[in-house]
Amino acid sequence: MKELIEDLLDGARQIGASDLHFIPDANQVKVQVRSASKLAALQSMDVELYDRLTLHMRYWCSLPESNQRIPQSGVYELNQDVIRVTFLPSFAQTSMSWRIPHDTFELQHLLRSHDVERFQKVVASHHGLFFIGGSTGAGKTTVLYALLNQLKHERIVTIENPPEQMVDGVIQLEVNAKAGLSHRHLLKETLRADPDIIVIGEVRTDEELMVAYDAALSGHLTITTFHTASIQDGEKRLTQLLGMATVERHWCVLTRNQEVTCEWSTFR
């Protein structure tokens, strides 16, 4: 089964895909990839093989079989790769998605030089809430980890659910609700650890957004990724949740076509 997984990852990586999706129907399973924010077909597999694959992934992700009718996510480790796996049960079948790990890039290899300089300027400010935004497949996580790899002279603590890459010199904390390690609890402990920069993985819920906001209110530069198509949409959600935000907000919203472009703004 591991050979099949390696083949699927290799095929997706060859076309620069960020995600791999398995969509079953009655007769076969379509395998699709997301590359440059667009979906494309990769291959198909028979239902029996897909069932064996999902059983294998659930087992090694330590996901309970008794909860198969609710959405689940976990981490699958293969050699040096860490794959984030998500199961979404529908009325008839359960689809599966993988976030594909890639080698860590240098920030200057991903972005134009003036955008790299803007990143460096925001980090040098050492305060505020820094959103790296974009739609699915825009490169938010890739850019975040490239940035972290350039900040090893800083004391950085991340709160992630789960960590998608290991970064030398960075303290990476993993959310574990069953063990009582929520975003809120981990932030409380992080603030006692004298960080220079706090990273709140990917903000998906209002509670996680509130935690990121509170981290910035503590006076630390707080960096997070945020799913949004534009700065205006992101600010609108912030206003709906928080009212008038009182911390400085830096926005970089990524768009990925042939290259990654950035839309920037700062609100004070």
Side-chain angles (χ1 to χ4, degrees), residues 203-209 226-228 231-243 251:
V203 168
R204 304 184 187 93
T205 67
D206 288 349
E207 173 61 20
E208 291 164 6
L209 182 56
F226 191 84
H227 187 93
T228 184
I231 293 172
Q232 291 76 16
D233 288 346
E235 277 290 306
K236 182 178 179 180
R237 181 175 169 191
L238 273 179
T239 301
Q240 290 172 342
L241 179 63
L242 305 172
W251 284 92

Side-chain angles (χ1 to χ4, degrees), residues 129-168:
L129 183 52
F130 184 16
F131 292 103
I132 302 174
S135 57
T136 301
K140 301 183 293 294
T141 302
T142 301
V143 168
L144 173 63
Y145 279 110
L147 178 63
L148 294 182
N149 271 283
Q150 292 193 354
L151 299 177
K152 294 181 180 179
H153 58 287
E154 305 278 3
R155 181 169 171 80
I156 302 172
V157 180
T158 74
I159 300 172
E160 303 177 75
N161 186 23
E164 295 187 28
Q165 294 181 28
M166 298 298 105
V167 183
D168 291 340

Side-chain angles (χ1 to χ4, degrees), residues 26-61:
N27 301 311
Q28 65 174 1
V29 178
K30 298 176 183 177
V31 183
Q32 296 180 325
V33 292
R34 184 174 294 279
S35 179
S37 300
K38 297 180 180 179
L39 282 175
L42 181 66
Q43 64 180 72
S44 62
M45 65 173 60
D46 63 58
V47 174
E48 181 182 352
L49 179 59
Y50 176 68
D51 288 343
R52 288 166 48 206
L53 177 61
T54 57
L55 186 64
H56 174 88
M57 300 300 286
R58 285 184 188 277
Y59 177 80
W60 289 105
C61 288

Side-chain angles (χ1 to χ4, degrees), residues 45-87:
M45 65 173 60
D46 63 58
V47 174
E48 181 182 352
L49 179 59
Y50 176 68
D51 288 343
R52 288 166 48 206
L53 177 61
T54 57
L55 186 64
H56 174 88
M57 300 300 286
R58 285 184 188 277
Y59 177 80
W60 289 105
C61 288
S62 300
L63 298 176
E65 294 185 19
S66 59
N67 292 343
Q68 290 189 23
R69 297 311 304 164
I70 64 173
Q72 294 177 300
S73 61
V75 172
Y76 180 87
E77 297 184 15
L78 177 66
N79 302 324
Q80 300 300 313
D81 289 328
V82 178
I83 306 168
R84 190 175 74 199
V85 182
T86 301
F87 294 94

Side-chain angles (χ1 to χ4, degrees), residues 244-264:
M244 185 63 69
T246 57
V247 298
E248 186 169 274
R249 283 103 55 216
H250 310 281
W251 284 92
C252 173
V253 173
L254 309 174
T255 302
R256 183 181 177 190
N257 293 307
Q258 295 300 317
E259 63 177 358
V260 177
T261 58
C262 304
E263 178 190 6
W264 288 92

Side-chain angles (χ1 to χ4, degrees), residues 23 30 73 115 122 136 192 208 213 249 267-268:
I23 306 169
K30 298 176 183 177
S73 61
D115 289 319
V122 170
T136 301
R192 295 171 174 168
E208 291 164 6
Y213 182 73
R249 283 103 55 216
F267 297 87
R268 294 180 172 88

